[in-house]
């Protein structure tokens, strides 16, 4: 349409101009060029979304506990909800590509991310296994320690992921930067220990 063409004419020079300024083409283009963000900006936005949205995912368990469901019993319902959401996301993504391709189903299907089962089956299996165990642990923690203490203590996982980032992936470099990270980690651990004594049975 003329509107789409006009948008592409206005946006394309801006994107090219931004790409020249950014190192390693550090620009993520979303929604067919309608939105563009730096990788750092997109990462921060997604992290905030995860913090707000993810920190509430065990709140419904408190309502289920009134009917006698909790702990391991809640895990089956939780897994069912995850399956429904994942399937819905794929359907919505297909509908989005269907709209962007002008109603061509084959093009929309080919635009979907490739599953690449031969390449990712083992890493994906390990990731799913570890994540499922972690979620099970968080469910038990929230059941016995409550939302305020149990789930907050579970967030000490950021320290473990930080250690992976420092020593294995080398995402943080420099003695001063690493020292500041360990200082922050110590403050976090201190807060977790203090928080663990605040639970009232």
């Amino acid at each position: 349409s003329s509107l789409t063409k006009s948008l592409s004419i206005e946006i394309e020079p801006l994107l090219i101009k931004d790409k020249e300024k950014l190192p390693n083409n550090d620009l993520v283009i979303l929604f067919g060029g309608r939105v563009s963000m730096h990788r750092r900006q997109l990462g921060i936005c997604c992290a905030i979304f995860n913090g707000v949205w993810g920190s509430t995912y065990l709140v419904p368990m408190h309502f289920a506990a009134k009917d006698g469901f909790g702990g391991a019993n809640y895990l089956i319902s939780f897994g069912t909800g995850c399956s429904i959401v994942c399937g819905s996301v794929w359907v919505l993504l297909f509908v989005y590509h269907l709209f962007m391709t002008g109603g061509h189903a084959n093009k929309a299907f080919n635009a979907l991310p490739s599953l690449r089962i031969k390449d990712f089956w083992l890493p994906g299996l390990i990731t799913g296994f570890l994540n499922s165990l972690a979620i099970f642990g968080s469910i038990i923690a929230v059941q016995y320690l409550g939302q305020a203490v149990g789930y907050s203590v579970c967030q000490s996982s950021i320290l473990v992921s930080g250690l992976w980032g420092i020593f294995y992936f080398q995402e943080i470099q420099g003695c001063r930067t690493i020292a500041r990270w360990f200082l922050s980690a110590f403050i976090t651990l201190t807060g977790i220990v203090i928080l663990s004594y605040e639970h009232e049975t």
Side-chain angles (χ1 to χ4, degrees), residues 24-71:
N24 301 322
N25 294 331
D26 191 21
L27 191 69
V28 180
I29 302 173
L30 305 171
F31 304 110
R34 291 175 174 81
V35 178
S36 60
M37 302 178 67
H38 298 178
R39 291 181 182 273
R40 180 180 178 84
Q41 293 173 339
L42 181 60
I44 292 175
C45 289
C46 291
I48 294 174
F49 176 81
N50 176 72
V52 175
W53 195 266
S55 59
T56 61
Y57 81 97
L58 287 179
V59 171
M61 188 178 73
H62 295 279
F63 299 100
K66 297 179 180 179
D67 297 327
F69 296 99

Side-chain angles (χ1 to χ4, degrees), residues 80-137:
T80 303
C82 291
S83 300
I84 294 174
V85 171
C86 288
S88 300
V89 169
W90 275 95
V91 172
L92 291 175
L93 188 60
F94 175 77
V95 172
Y96 166 75
H97 286 300
L98 191 66
F99 172 77
M100 295 299 296
T101 56
H104 296 282
N106 290 334
K107 292 182 179 180
F109 180 80
N110 293 330
L112 292 173
S114 176
L115 296 179
R116 299 182 63 179
I117 297 178
K118 293 183 179 180
D119 298 325
F120 296 138
W121 73 270
L122 183 58
L125 184 65
I126 295 174
T127 300
F129 177 75
L130 294 175
N131 186 61
S132 298
L133 288 179
I135 290 175
F136 179 72

